[in-house]
Amino acid sequence: MLSRIAESMFWIGRYVERAEDTARILDVQTQLILEESGIDERETCRMLMSIMGADLEPEDEVDVTTVLRQLAYNPDSPTSIATALGAARESARRARETLSVPMWEAINTTYRAIPSGQFRATRPPMVFQWVRERAALINGTADATMTRDEGWQFLMLGRCIERADMTSRLVATAAVSTGSPWTSTLRACGAYEAFLRTYRGLETDRAAAEFLLLDRLFPRSVVFSLNRAEQCVDNLESQGQRAGFQNEAQRLLGRTRAELEYRSLSDVLADLPHEMERLQRTCALATDAITRRYFAGAESLTWQGVLA
């Protein structure tokens, strides 16, 4: 596969997932700010901006309006939903010849809501629901219309790495939030009902963190996402290795997954924000390794990988 096409498919997966998960994080945090009277709005907003990678000066005043502008609506902000959807559409345009017509139409129609003003005119929480629904449509269309070739593997690889990264940000947000954020975090991941069935209705912060990090069957858990990303890299390699791994991305993803799975949960939870930061760095390093191995001949897309 042409490196240009491969890179575009990878970033379509990442950016669609990024837009959806940013919407999920914003939905959780804005609800908490409105519903929990004891929450410090400015401190919570500053923490959220920091976790999402937005640049802030110590003297900057940050409130919910600032967060929504920088992380949702502003197409010039590198961390916003609008930017992620625009970047997904640009990547789709570059790989137009490999996309099915329904998938291209789903991505392009979603993007057209930004320049038309429809996206900015939709206010929370409806705008977050709209983003989730459009992402589900794009992903569902890909699942239904794409052959499981190399393009599919790159799409899934991008989606899974981004999902692991963004789930770690959701978990980090919950870990440093005041009040009772874990139920909202589970709902943001679409995990609440599955969590209750798995733990027989026993709701504890420890169990919620364990489910989002370590559950091998839930598709948004960190371990599940890392495992699927490993499988995608393995499928892309034409020759299996009898010993070790020559693919640096596979080594990074596998080592991080194994560390999470085989360490005790108490060790992971002891400093959860730091552990999630390490996971985010691994996702960034794995992205760099994938770029060097598979996309070396592609034209550089300098505007990509804002959170990577």
Side-chain angles (χ1 to χ4, degrees):
M1 172 173 281
L2 291 174
S3 57
R4 170 179 61 86
I5 301 298
E7 184 177 28
S8 295
M9 298 304 296
F10 176 80
W11 284 105
I12 290 171
R14 286 207 69 163
Y15 274 118
V16 171
E17 186 68 29
R18 182 173 300 179
E20 178 183 1
D21 291 343
T22 301
R24 291 176 179 275
I25 291 174
L26 290 176
D27 197 12
V28 168
Q29 290 302 309
T30 53
Q31 284 189 41
L32 283 174
I33 290 171
L34 290 175
E35 294 172 1
E36 297 284 347
S37 59
I39 288 181
D40 185 325
E41 177 180 341
R42 292 185 178 181
E43 185 61 32
T44 300
C45 290
R46 179 172 288 276
M47 175 270 299
L48 179 58
M49 294 281 282
S50 175
I51 286 176
M52 295 303 295
D55 292 329
L56 283 177
E57 298 296 332
E59 66 275 8
D60 288 345
E61 292 291 331
V62 183
D63 55 14
V64 172
T65 301
T66 305
V67 167
L68 292 177
R69 182 175 63 251
Q70 291 299 109
L71 299 184
Y73 295 112
N74 185 1
D76 297 322
S77 170
T79 53
S80 72
I81 293 172
T83 296
L85 293 177
R89 193 262 189 185
E90 177 63 19
S91 292
R93 185 188 63 78
R94 289 167 56 89
R96 178 67 186 86
E97 63 268 30
T98 64
L99 298 180
S100 65
V101 171
M103 186 174 177
W104 163 253
E105 289 179 345
I107 295 173
N108 192 49
T109 301
T110 301
Y111 165 74
R112 293 304 306 169
I114 297 171
S116 70
Q118 175 190 344
F119 178 69
R120 181 174 286 276
T122 309
R123 309 308 299 173
M126 295 306 298
V127 68
F128 305 135
Q129 180 180 343
W130 178 85
V131 173
R132 292 198 303 269
E133 289 174 352
R134 295 305 301 184
L137 175 62
I138 293 169
N139 291 333
T141 302
D143 290 348
T145 62
M146 287 187 65
T147 57
R148 272 40 177 179
D149 56 7
E150 287 184 339
W152 169 260
Q153 298 297 334
F154 280 112
L155 181 76
M156 287 300 298
L157 178 58
R159 183 192 299 177
C160 291
I161 288 178
E162 188 69 27
R163 184 170 290 179
D165 180 276
M166 296 300 275
T167 298
S168 75
R169 293 175 191 272
L170 269 167
V171 170
T173 302
V176 298
S177 296
T178 57
S180 303
W182 285 102
T183 297
S184 297
T185 302
L186 288 166
R187 291 187 186 278
C189 291
Y192 187 65
E193 289 77 14
F195 170 75
L196 291 180
R197 288 195 298 271
T198 301
Y199 288 87
R200 304 292 192 272
L202 179 64
E203 296 186 53
T204 66
D205 292 353
R206 180 186 176 89
E210 181 180 46
F211 187 75
L212 292 176
L213 291 174
L214 304 177
D215 192 272
R216 296 186 180 94
L217 301 181
F218 181 66
R220 286 193 173 275
S221 79
V222 170
V223 162
F224 184 98
S225 299
L226 291 175
N227 187 49
R228 287 296 300 273
E230 281 184 83
Q231 291 176 14
C232 290
V233 175
D234 188 56
N235 292 337
L236 288 168
E237 294 295 311
S238 58
Q239 296 180 346
Q241 289 293 119
R242 292 184 61 175
F245 297 96
Q246 290 186 351
N247 191 313
E248 181 65 15
Q250 195 171 15
R251 188 199 317 275
L252 288 165
L253 294 169
R255 184 176 63 193
T256 301
R257 176 193 53 77
E259 285 179 355
L260 279 174
E261 282 192 295
Y262 292 102
R263 288 174 61 192
S264 70
L265 181 61
S266 298
D267 287 346
V268 176
L269 297 182
D271 191 1
L272 194 53
H274 175 69
E275 293 296 333
M276 295 302 97
E277 186 178 344
R278 286 183 59 207
L279 175 58
Q280 291 155 30
R281 285 198 299 270
T282 295
C283 291
L285 292 172
T287 299
D288 290 341
I290 291 166
T291 299
R292 290 192 302 271
R293 187 170 184 85
Y294 299 110
F295 312 146
E299 179 185 348
S300 177
L301 300 180
T302 57
W303 43 266
Q304 306 227 21
V306 172
L307 293 182

